[in-house]
Amino acid sequence: MKFAVTLGSAVIAAFAFAIATPAVAGAQPTNCHDSYTPCLPIVSDVDCEGGSGNGPVYTGRVTVIGPDDYGLDRDGNGIGCE
């Protein structure tokens, strides 16, 4: 009987932890452009840091996983701002 009570307490604790934990840990905020990882904001333009672009937003290296709307992956290899 003592084992059943201990097991029941463990199940309740695990369930409480699951409820308190976000469903999708590490999900990108909803205002991120779907084509880039890590998150790039949805703005008029994003340029590479140290490049000749005029922003308004600048980024370092990113992975391009969809249409390259910001033109960061000039050679088409899936890596922007390299």
Side-chain angles (χ1 to χ4, degrees), residues 7-82:
L7 181 60
S9 297
V11 169
I12 292 170
F15 182 73
F17 177 77
I19 291 173
T21 304
V24 181
Q28 292 185 346
T30 57
N31 61 343
C32 292
H33 195 294
D34 291 337
S35 292
Y36 302 97
T37 301
C39 173
L40 291 182
I42 299 172
V43 294
S44 60
D45 189 27
V46 175
D47 293 311
C48 297
E49 292 173 340
S52 60
N54 59 354
V57 175
Y58 297 90
T59 186
R61 188 178 187 145
V62 294
T63 301
V64 182
I65 56 176
D68 187 15
D69 293 339
Y70 298 139
L72 302 175
D73 181 17
R74 300 290 178 175
D75 62 4
N77 70 350
I79 301 172
C81 298
E82 57 184 334

